Amino acid sequence: MNLHKASHRHAQNGAARCPNRSAALYAFLLVVAPAGSFAQRGGGGGGVPGAGANTPIASLKTAAPPAPAVDRYVKDPAALIALGKTLFWDMQAGSDGRTACATCHFHAGADHRIQNQISGPGATVNNVLSAQDFPFRLFSNTGNNRTTLVRDSRFAAGSMGVVERAFAGIETGAEVDRFAVTAFVSPFQANGIHTRQVTGRNSPSVINAVFNVRNFWDGRASRIFNGATPAGDADGTLNAWVYRNGSIEQEPVRIENASLASQAVGPVLNSVEMSWAGRDWPELGRKLLNLAPLGRQKVAADDSVLGGMANPEGNGLLPQFSYAAMIQAAFRAEYWSAPAPDSGPLQMERNFALFWGLAIQAYETTLAANDSRVDQFLEGRTDALSALEQQGLTEFRTGGSQCTTCHNGPELSAAGFTNFLRRNGVTNSDADAGFFRLGVTPADSDPGTFKTPGLRNVEFTGPYFHDGSQATLNQVLDFYGRNGDFPGGTALGNVRLGAGDRNAIVAFLRALSDDRVRYQRAPFDHPSLCVPNGHAETSPGQLALDGNQTGSVALDKWALVPETGRGGAGVPLQTFEELLNGVGNDGSRANTMNLACAP
Ligand code: HEC
Ligand code: HEC
């Protein structure tokens, strides 16, 4: 179990620290499953859990998501984390050479940009969201979902990815992929000028995603990692290429409790998020293996993972830390040491999806924010919360709010591992509990149920809900107070919340922030990043053309997200609400999107 240390880093000083996995599970069952509690099962199938099914709220340090068994592939867990952090933040991974995973997950693990961030019915290209746009669905009486609608916007606040292009290969040593000039079909254009496409849903945070049994809003990133796609067991391809006794052959991959790996192999080939359409894994591998990792970004000399590898003079890492060297350090030789074939991809390129998924999963496993003041309070530090915040905790737990029907357990989510293991015990089967329809959108616009979010650091992860329709926590509480926007057929029905309750609960929600996230300290420190921040306009509504690009493509505006080291930034992160209102542009907040960047 040499991965134990790495994959339990999140459990830092918590009760979950333990010599091996079965002991972890055992200790964990003692914490959450006192005698008799298995008699109180229920809550499967996506409905409201039955009475008694709720797991008590506790410090997140008591949560112990099981470590995925990766020893077969992984040689050095620390090297795996370093590779994962580098891949996650590297802008060169995107087909445009400028889009990293972090591009949509740079701010408390999420994205609070406001320009060119909307998609769906009625979305205007390059729109700048303002405070007046929220909530997207506005009732004349915000406490009553039967009153007249003042506004009913049906677009979603998502995240901008790449311009629509058809992939046509890579050029060795170039960070921008080649593309074929084809007819554009995406709606992301105005007057024939094409903009970056925008996702249909809001970006959830990668921080604490390790506690989710299944990731994505609808849980489609399987708990089982198959080595190449998010689909788990539904994809039976033999995805790993193994070199043994002088010959190379394909073998299946099946790793349990590895939804983060299943998730991570999705966006990088997705033609909205990061890729020209039609790129494949060996091509992405070949491209990155020929580039200097983080070649256009700065890494802090005291970065908690990459500091010792950072290039103090220039960009990225020291020359000896190539992607090939990092893969060789992290993974067992059977998965990369085959001699180069006469033609076709190298073994290392063929296994690139496997490496990518496992490395990013290992990095994201370190992103555990389990030391908020609420966590400290629940560990017995009674002075950690103010009287109002304590009242909020009480209102959240009890009475008419119903919050803990769904936001329960140490993860504050019925979709977390604590609930999952408690419900399933040793059978460990996939159940659907923790996913609900609240009436955020009409049933026909985005059908299905949505994962209950864990709420830590929620102060910084606006806009809220899967469609990003609420800008503030007060607006979210108004939503619950009126039992949702589309009553009927939803999991909400009888929430009772007075104004005082709402204020107290909002204070409690703000106390769920971990200061290490607020100040971007280790393990939430990171390399620098240039993020696209909408497109330039020649006059209002007139997109400026990017003269350096083939085809009619809109000129990007860029904003710098500066690197931080172990000690973090001097000022706290800006909230979405603050960005909307221009609060913090004087330098009193971090990530205000007004620092210039030339990628
Ligand atoms: C263009 C923006 C964009 C990029 C780039 C992007 N993501 Fe995301 N990410 C999203 C959106 C939007 C969702 C929600 C999608 C859904 O649930 O349908 C999401 C969901 C996730 C989740 C699930 C969290 C949860 O609570 O369910 C994780 C983890 C994640 N992304 C990690 C990554 C990784 C790793 C990469 C790079 C391989 C990446 N993202 C690239 C926008 C992006
Ligand atoms: C029936 C289950 C259920 C109940 C009850 C419930 N929630 Fe939620 N909560 C969810 C789900 C599911 C989502 C995501 C919904 C979506 O986006 O469609 C959510 C989203 C949220 C969000 C937005 C988080 C984000 O990152 O976008 C907040 C804040 C929140 N809930 C707080 C509360 C509070 C406070 C209460 C009690 C007043 C409460 N919830 C009651 C299930 C529930």
Side-chain angles (χ1 to χ4, degrees), residues 507-530:
F508 161 72
L509 292 173
R510 293 214 171 97
L512 284 164
S513 299
D514 186 318
D515 267 357
R516 296 171 301 169
V517 172
R518 185 190 306 273
Y519 290 100
Q520 305 178 74
R521 294 179 192 141
F524 310 105
D525 55 349
H526 57 79
S528 71
L529 188 71
C530 273

Side-chain angles (χ1 to χ4, degrees), residues 48 137 139 141-147 399-403 405-406 436-442 465 470 474-498 502:
V48 178
R137 192 170 158 89
F139 294 91
N141 173 353
T142 56
N144 185 336
N145 63 16
R146 313 250 170 210
T147 58
S401 83
Q402 298 197 16
C403 308
T405 310
C406 312
F436 302 96
R437 198 170 178 84
L438 300 187
V440 167
T441 45
F465 291 146
Q470 318 288 328
N474 285 310
Q475 287 168 358
V476 170
L477 267 292
D478 284 348
F479 170 94
Y480 281 113
R482 64 180 175 263
N483 290 307
D485 284 0
F486 297 90
T490 77
L492 293 177
N494 193 25
V495 178
R496 279 166 286 112
L497 281 174
R502 290 203 290 264

Side-chain angles (χ1 to χ4, degrees), residues 51-213:
N54 299 353
T55 312
I57 292 181
S59 163
L60 190 58
K61 295 187 192 99
T62 66
V70 299
D71 287 6
R72 181 187 183 91
Y73 310 101
V74 175
K75 187 167 72 183
D76 180 343
L80 188 68
I81 292 170
L83 174 63
K85 187 168 187 177
T86 307
L87 290 171
F88 185 90
W89 286 90
D90 199 333
M91 305 186 328
Q92 301 168 125
S95 279
D96 63 348
R98 301 286 184 275
T99 305
C101 300
T103 299
C104 305
H105 297 285
F106 64 92
H107 191 78
D111 179 6
H112 77 325
R113 290 173 294 174
I114 56 175
Q115 185 167 12
N116 196 40
Q117 291 276 88
I118 61 173
S119 65
T124 323
V125 161
N126 209 31
N127 167 284
V128 181
L129 286 165
S130 74
Q132 288 71 44
D133 293 323
F134 293 90
F136 290 171
R137 192 170 158 89
L138 179 63
F139 294 91
S140 50
N141 173 353
T142 56
N144 185 336
N145 63 16
R146 313 250 170 210
T147 58
T148 326
L149 279 171
V150 177
R151 172 172 65 235
D152 190 11
S153 314
R154 292 294 171 94
F155 46 72
S159 282
M160 74 189 104
V162 292
V163 168
E164 181 196 4
R165 301 270 201 202
F167 179 78
I170 64 135
E171 212 165 296
T172 308
E175 79 272 23
V176 182
D177 297 349
R178 290 196 287 113
F179 57 89
V181 179
T182 51
F184 288 94
V185 293
S186 95
F188 298 96
Q189 49 176 301
N191 304 325
I193 300 181
H194 298 269
T195 55
R196 288 178 181 272
Q197 304 166 87
V198 181
T199 60
R201 290 182 186 159
N202 190 252
S203 297
S205 181
V206 295
I207 294 174
N208 291 349
V210 63
F211 297 101
N212 296 327
V213 179

Side-chain angles (χ1 to χ4, degrees), residues 555-593:
L555 185 64
D556 287 310
K557 293 192 296 184
W558 297 93
L560 175 67
V561 173
E563 71 277 17
T564 61
R566 186 181 287 282
V571 292
L573 287 177
Q574 189 184 41
T575 67
F576 179 70
E577 190 181 359
E578 287 171 342
L579 180 60
L580 285 175
N581 296 312
V583 176
N585 293 343
D586 53 355
S588 61
R589 298 288 186 281
N591 291 357
T592 42
M593 314 312 290

